[in-house]
Amino acid sequence: MALLKYIGKRLVTIAFSIVVLTVITYCLMYAAPGNFFDIQRYQTAAGGTNLSKEQVEVLRRGFEKKYGLDQPLWKQILVYLGDAVRFKFGPSFSNPGMTIEEQIRQKFPVTLTLGLLGMALAILVGIPLGILAALRRNTWLDYTATFLAMIGQVIPAYVIAVLLIILFAVTLGWLPTSGWGSLRQMILPVVAVALGPMAVIARFMRVSLLDTLNQDYIRTAYAKGGTERAVILTHALRNSLIPIVTVIGPTLAGILAGSAVWIEQVFRVPGIGQLFVTAAGFRDYPLLVTSTFILALSVMVMNLLVDIAYALLDPRIKLE
């Protein structure tokens, strides 16, 4: 019952946060210079097609009426939120023949796959790396792992992506520079996404295991004659992994809403991040707001799932 009550409170908070975020996004777009119609008109004019001033105004009014841009801003926001509750977002400016939910449905699985593969790689490498650093504390192995974790944490993902392209695609010629679909095309984007979270997980794993090894019950286990392997595998590792859950969830959310967006641009991966950047460049407001809406909702739901999982794994944690 307490869990259901907690989930209900969090869902209300998520709904309120989404509304605030949508209002802020709309206001920022409204204040930003330029619009989709003028960008398209200038591109058309540069291509050799010129219209009279009156014809342009007629087209502008028709465009604004079609998408409700001639309405006050507060009314546009209310209409959008009303449709968003039903997950109906209508057509975008740049692709009027396809609804935004259809575009999201095509693009989001690519971003989710990229994020999950990157997270899986980060976990598979980061946890053993943190364990080795903790068990071999103050040795060359610990210093090397800590150094690599620090490098992975301070260098932005898009810089790592460029370095990977220069090394493995341009210099060595082992992997393609861009694309998505084949295994060879996936390797560099997944590695670029994984390195930052890998460093975070390794660092948290090291600290968590060192803290656990200093607990009284670990010393008691050694005093009862337990071997190092038995004590670590039976008592230390299990308790040390619980705090990692709190890192993995927000990190995955960060990948979906942050790293994946840039990585998709660098490697030309056809995911929602590329859709988001293209919409921002062309001032495609409906698509931009919806991309922000979907990414923010993903982050909030992921954080909720992590909090629930953490409470289930550790009975000492109370959901309030």
Side-chain angles (χ1 to χ4, degrees):
M1 191 62 186
L3 178 62
L4 293 177
K5 187 176 179 182
Y6 174 77
I7 293 174
K9 286 183 179 178
R10 288 291 299 270
L11 290 178
V12 171
T13 305
I14 288 174
F16 178 74
S17 302
I18 289 293
V19 171
V20 172
L21 182 70
T22 302
V23 172
I24 292 174
T25 307
Y26 254 99
C27 291
L28 289 176
M29 289 190 315
Y30 190 78
N35 57 68
F36 179 82
F37 184 85
D38 286 336
I39 292 174
Q40 294 298 311
R41 185 164 66 88
Y42 290 138
Q43 288 185 346
T44 304
T49 302
N50 291 314
L51 298 174
S52 66
K53 202 169 182 179
E54 292 75 17
Q55 289 174 317
V56 170
E57 284 305 313
V58 171
L59 289 175
R60 184 192 299 278
R61 286 195 293 272
F63 176 80
E64 291 178 348
K65 186 176 182 181
K66 178 180 179 182
Y67 290 99
L69 300 178
D70 55 344
Q71 301 295 321
L73 182 61
W74 64 268
K75 192 171 183 180
Q76 294 180 39
I77 296 174
L78 286 180
V79 170
Y80 177 84
L81 290 174
D83 293 337
V85 171
R86 299 179 287 115
F87 273 79
K88 299 292 183 183
F89 303 104
S92 65
F93 293 167
S94 55
N95 192 359
M98 179 182 291
T99 62
I100 294 176
E101 53 267 29
E102 289 175 336
Q103 296 183 54
I104 297 291
R105 196 178 301 125
Q106 291 180 357
K107 303 289 186 180
F108 190 70
V110 175
T111 300
L112 186 62
T113 303
L114 175 61
L116 290 178
L117 289 176
M119 198 69 240
L121 179 62
I123 293 172
L124 290 175
V125 179
I127 289 180
L129 197 63
I131 293 174
L132 285 175
L135 297 180
R136 299 292 181 266
R137 188 181 182 185
N138 295 330
T139 64
W140 67 269
L141 190 58
D142 182 21
Y143 296 142
T144 303
T146 304
F147 175 76
L148 293 176
M150 183 184 66
I151 293 296
Q153 205 167 0
V154 299
I155 299 180
Y158 56 87
V159 175
I160 292 175
V162 173
L163 294 176
L164 289 174
I165 289 176
I166 293 174
L167 178 60
F168 292 102
V170 177
T171 305
L172 299 175
W174 291 350
L175 297 168
T177 58
S178 63
W180 184 261
S182 69
L183 179 61
R184 294 181 72 247
Q185 290 175 321
M186 290 181 176
I187 291 176
L188 288 184
V190 170
V191 172
V193 164
L195 286 181
M198 187 187 303
V200 174
I201 291 173
R203 189 168 61 84
F204 269 82
M205 188 67 227
R206 177 182 181 276
V207 173
S208 178
L209 184 56
L210 285 176
D211 181 64
T212 304
L213 291 175
N214 289 324
Q215 298 296 318
D216 290 338
Y217 68 89
I218 295 295
R219 284 191 285 271
T220 302
Y222 278 119
K224 288 183 177 180
T227 63
E228 182 177 14
R229 172 177 294 186
V231 171
I232 291 173
L233 292 179
T234 307
H235 302 286
L237 270 184
R238 182 179 176 183
N239 291 330
S240 301
L241 287 172
I242 293 177
I244 301 300
V245 175
T246 61
V247 178
I248 291 175
T251 303
L252 179 58
I255 290 177
L256 295 178
S259 302
V261 174
W262 301 109
I263 296 303
E264 286 176 8
Q265 278 299 107
V266 173
F267 291 101
R268 300 183 66 80
V269 176
I272 195 172
Q274 193 179 62
L275 201 66
F276 178 85
V277 174
T278 303
F282 284 93
R283 304 294 191 274
D284 193 337
Y285 300 152
L287 188 55
L288 183 60
V289 173
T290 306
S291 300
T292 306
F293 178 95
I294 296 297
L295 291 174
L297 185 62
S298 303
V299 171
M300 295 177 191
V301 171
M302 191 65 65
N303 287 333
L304 173 60
L305 294 177
V306 169
D307 289 342
I308 295 172
Y310 195 48
L312 294 176
L313 289 173
D314 190 348
R316 296 172 298 177
I317 304 298
K318 301 297 182 185
L319 295 175
E320 295 181 354

